[in-house]
């Protein structure tokens, strides 16, 4: 006998919708299967057998995050197949900053009403993020919570685990005066600062589908552009160059995130002219009348990752990133001091 409960359904939870959602998402999950994945979806846990070939001292690295209020744009535009990419990226981009290779990812979707097609669309994005970062979607949870979330809204969060050889963990303490900072281009706002974005554009009351000349695209489409996944190019870079430290530019922008990749007593001196600020940030600043310092303290401004290398390795690092299709350039250097200076 199949599982169902009329009483639970009358309370707002349709368990059969959950089963339908699982069936719809199976094809997306199948795309993420990588060597080591021993189980499919539907069990109580995701089983993964690690291949530790060449790793002398394996260390597990974990990361968790959500999409945040960028989800409001997905609701307003009724487009749900890209926010999963954001969810994966916010986790695995952090993990790779340690030098780790992401192995698996799990998602958590909490919603007011389980619409199977919408859930499958969300998972489609999650699966795409996993494919782009080379990790398996090992499982997840969909929680129908009527009365807690409205029927048209949901929250999305995730968790990832990676592995790195202990002797190859990137250590900010290795950074020295004179090292250079390479900025790797972002795809847009990514998944941070959307409380400010939503206020600036009053997104609930503006036409998100209207074409914006400054952007060469509709505003909503630009804002919903998914977070760039840096895992594969960074892992390739680590094979070719001695990278000292990496910073993922997320909420808090340059001023909060770059210092996390520096030792005490060192400062990141960023050349403002070297930062290729994307049009969306120029528009946000203009419409919101936001001071430039606040912009650099909130958004990535067009730089999604900062990689610190010895000056002699800079050209080789840029070449390696270019060969992966990444747009990268030297945006600054490490000097004695504290925090970040943009000059």
């Amino acid at each position: 006998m199949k599982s169902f409960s009329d009483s639970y359904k009358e309370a707002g939870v349709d368990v059969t919708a959950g089963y339908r959602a699982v069936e719809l998402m199976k094809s997306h999950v199948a795309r993420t299967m990588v060597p080591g994945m021993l189980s499919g979806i539907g069990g109580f846990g995701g089983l993964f057998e690690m291949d530790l070939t060449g790793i002398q001292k394996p260390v597990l690295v974990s990361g968790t995050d959500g999409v945040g209020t960028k989800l409001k744009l997905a609701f307003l535009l009724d487009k749900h197949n890209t926010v999963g990419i954001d969810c994966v990226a916010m986790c695995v981009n952090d993990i790779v900053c340690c030098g780790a290779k992401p192995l698996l990812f799990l998602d958590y979707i909490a919603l007011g009403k389980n619409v199977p097609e919408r859930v499958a669309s969300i998972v489609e994005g999650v699966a795409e993020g996993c494919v782009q970062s080379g990790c398996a979607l090992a499982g997840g949870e969909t929680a129908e919570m009527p009365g807690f979330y409205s029927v048209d809204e949901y929250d999305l969060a995730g968790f990832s685990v990676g592995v790195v050889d202990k002797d190859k963990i990137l250590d900010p303490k290795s950074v020295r005066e004179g090292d250079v900072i390479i900025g790797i281009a972002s795809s847009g706002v990514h998944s941070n600062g959307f409380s400010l974005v939503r206020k600036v554009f009053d997104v609930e009351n503006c036409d998100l589908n209207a074409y914006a000349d400054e952007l060469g695209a509709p505003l909503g489409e630009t804002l919903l552009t998914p977070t760039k996944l840096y895992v594969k190019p960074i892992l390739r870079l680590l094979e070719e160059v001695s990278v000292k430290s990496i910073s993922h530019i997320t909420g808090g922008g340059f001023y909060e995130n770059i210092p996390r990749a520096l030792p005490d007593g060192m400062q990141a001196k960023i050349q403002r002219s070297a930062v290729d600020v994307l049009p969306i940030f120029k528009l946000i600043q203009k419409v919101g009348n936001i001071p430039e310092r606040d912009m650099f303290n909130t958004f990535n401004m067009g730089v999604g990752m900062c990689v610190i290398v010895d000056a002699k390795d800079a050209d080789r690092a840029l070449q390696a990133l270019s060969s992966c299709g990444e747009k990268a350039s030297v945006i600054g250097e490490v000097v004695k001091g504290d925090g970040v200076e943009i000059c």
Side-chain angles (χ1 to χ4, degrees), residues 3-51:
S3 172
F4 71 90
S5 171
D6 289 335
S7 298
Y8 209 6
K9 187 174 182 179
E10 289 176 3
V13 178
D14 183 0
V15 294
T16 61
Y19 307 143
R20 171 64 175 157
V22 170
E23 288 302 315
L24 291 175
M25 69 177 70
K26 280 184 176 179
S27 62
H28 302 305
V29 177
R31 296 179 56 222
T32 75
M33 291 299 100
V34 298
M37 195 64 212
L38 302 182
S39 61
I41 59 174
F44 287 100
L47 304 178
F48 192 94
E49 181 180 15
M50 291 191 295
D51 180 0

Side-chain angles (χ1 to χ4, degrees), residues 7 11 49 65 80 113 120 126 134 177 197 223 232 235 319 334:
S7 298
E49 181 180 15
D65 209 337
H80 310 282
K113 180 177 176 57
V126 174
E177 181 181 11
V197 168
L223 292 175
K232 290 182 179 179
L235 291 178
Q319 184 177 9
V334 177

Side-chain angles (χ1 to χ4, degrees), residues 46-97:
L47 304 178
F48 192 94
E49 181 180 15
M50 291 191 295
D51 180 0
L52 299 179
T53 303
I55 300 178
Q56 301 300 315
K57 302 174 184 177
V59 174
L60 295 180
V61 182
S62 59
T64 185
D65 209 337
V67 181
T69 62
K70 184 176 184 175
L71 290 174
K72 286 284 189 180
L73 275 296
F75 305 156
L76 292 167
L77 293 166
D78 195 24
K79 182 175 173 58
H80 310 282
N81 65 344
T82 62
V83 289
I85 299 175
D86 290 290
C87 191
V88 175
M90 297 309 294
C91 297
V92 299
N93 284 347
D94 278 357
I95 284 177
V96 80
C97 287

Side-chain angles (χ1 to χ4, degrees), residues 98-116:
C98 299
K101 172 182 171 55
L103 299 174
L104 55 88
F105 182 86
L106 292 93
D107 61 20
Y108 175 76
I109 307 169
L111 34 72
K113 180 177 176 57
N114 190 334
V115 180

Side-chain angles (χ1 to χ4, degrees), residues 145-163:
M145 302 167 65
F148 194 86
Y149 294 95
S150 69
V151 295
D152 294 323
E153 296 191 349
Y154 56 86
D155 198 7
L156 174 62
F159 172 84
S160 186
V161 177
V163 66

Side-chain angles (χ1 to χ4, degrees), residues 156-195:
L156 174 62
F159 172 84
S160 186
V161 177
V163 66
V164 62
D165 196 314
K166 186 176 182 179
D167 293 334
K168 295 182 179 180
I169 297 174
L170 300 186
D171 184 3
K173 293 180 181 178
S174 67
V175 174
R176 297 288 182 267
E177 181 181 11
D179 289 342
V180 300
I181 302 170
I182 294 173
I184 309 177
S186 70
S187 57
V189 185
H190 284 182
S191 193
N192 304 106
F194 271 87
S195 292

